[in-house]
Amino acid sequence: MTTQPTIQLLAFGIVAEKAGSSRLSISGVSDTEQLLEALYQQHPALREVRFAIAVNRKIVHENTPLQADSEVALLPPFSGG
Amino acid sequence: MSAFQRQILLPDFGAAGQEKLSRARVLVVGAGGLGCPVLLYLAAAGVGGIGIVDGDTVSESNLNRQVLYGPDDIGLPKAEIAARRLREQFPNTEFEALPFFMDVENALETIARFDVVVDGSDNFPTRYMVNDACYLLQKPLVQGAVYQYEGQVAVFDAQRGRSTYRDLYPVPPAAGDAPNCSETGVLGVLPGIIGLMQAAETIKCITGVGQPLLDKALFYHFKNASFFEVEIAPHPDAQAMMPANEAAFRAMHYADACERVQDILWTEAQALLERRPETLLLDIREEEEGPNVHVRSRRWPMSRLLQDASELTADMPLVLFCRSGVRSRHLAGVLQKSGRHTQVYSIEGGLQHPLSPIHHSVTHG
């Protein structure tokens, strides 16, 4: 049996604002889909926000496997000028 | 001795780099918090031609970050004030003031005349529209944006790279997802920093010195002075979201995806009426609410417009007012959503506002 890792998340902009912190952690997930599910459960306000996901500093658009040392960033668009 | 001696001395840059800058024409979209530092430093570097597109006027709350303007400029068109000020300081650059907002009708012909586009606009519809136009016309786009204490910079170039803004964010967020600067706070130095990074990327795109932030997005956080760079991968839906040709571009409704109504002051409305005489000033109060108050206004009650607004010429700039500014704001949203009008304004506070013509006649005779 494998133990599922705790993933460290970096939240930017309005994502950090809605989640209450720029550093979040999610346990018991092994890919980005599970991570989003757990994230929405912990922070329902994030459902209303659109953001891109980067794993190890690469934007991912498909479900992506995560390891304990994966660095995940939640990057919303900014519009201010 | 030339004004550019110290950059010509740089290894890799040299006279060849300077020559490229002097021949380049750059379009700066938005002469606000990002646009001001971009303009100042591109001009100082000796970029040969700079277009400044912005349909907005200077307001007092701009002055903490829009460093080309002072208190005497309040109410005046940004593009023209910026061009005037820059011409005085930078004789080597030709400045073109484009005092209008970009829309699907004017974007392509405007962008086509320039080599590089720098986006420092303050709203998502413009950002998506400029992205799509640059992609269609194969022009490099240097994008910058801020949110509270954070900023982001990216370079998209269909000829040298493989991504656009839509590979990062395929569709605009819903209205209210990411409010703009006029609704949230912003510290002046932040757009200063991000704007200067855009100017740096623009110079790299033009001269070929170094590697531009192509297919990457760089995030900066003011509070801990940290940078975070990510690589952008092509999004499977990105192409499908963009107009395939110029006709499709003109048919896009960018404002629909994220519409917001712009509130303006009576003084700004007056300036707009003078600058663009075709602007229609609409008094949307019902007939029984009192006599007409403005010599230029036309009475068009809201109840009538909600039933049928087809009498209003499409694409004519509209300025709406009512008694308190509430109904005009609502109706402006409805008219904007119809897609027939890209510029719809509501006068803040309506006739109850201290600057309204009613108060003027009461206090001044």
Side-chain angles (χ1 to χ4, degrees), chain B residues 117-131:
Chain B
V117 178
V118 183
D119 189 353
S121 63
D122 65 356
N123 61 86
F124 284 116
T126 305
R127 290 184 180 280
Y128 278 84
M129 181 177 65
V130 170
N131 173 75

Side-chain angles (χ1 to χ4, degrees), chain A residues 10-14 16-18 22 48-52 54 57-62 71-73 75-81, chain B residues 33-34 121-124 127 145-148 150-152 165 167-169 171-173 177-178 228-231 233-236:
Chain A
L10 296 169
F12 291 71
I14 199 163
E17 206 178 296
K18 298 237 174 195
S22 61
E48 300 148 24
V49 184
R50 200 161 281 155
F51 51 86
R57 310 216 171 192
K58 285 193 167 106
I59 298 289
V60 298
H61 303 300
E62 311 286 339
E71 179 195 52
V72 177
L75 305 158
F78 301 160
S79 71
Chain B
L34 295 167
S121 63
D122 65 356
N123 61 86
F124 284 116
R127 290 184 180 280
V146 296
Y147 177 75
Q148 296 194 355
E150 295 168 71
Q152 62 190 203
Y165 188 52
D167 290 297
L168 192 53
Y169 304 111
V171 289
D177 257 19
F228 192 83
E229 187 183 295
V230 294
E231 202 179 300
H235 191 288

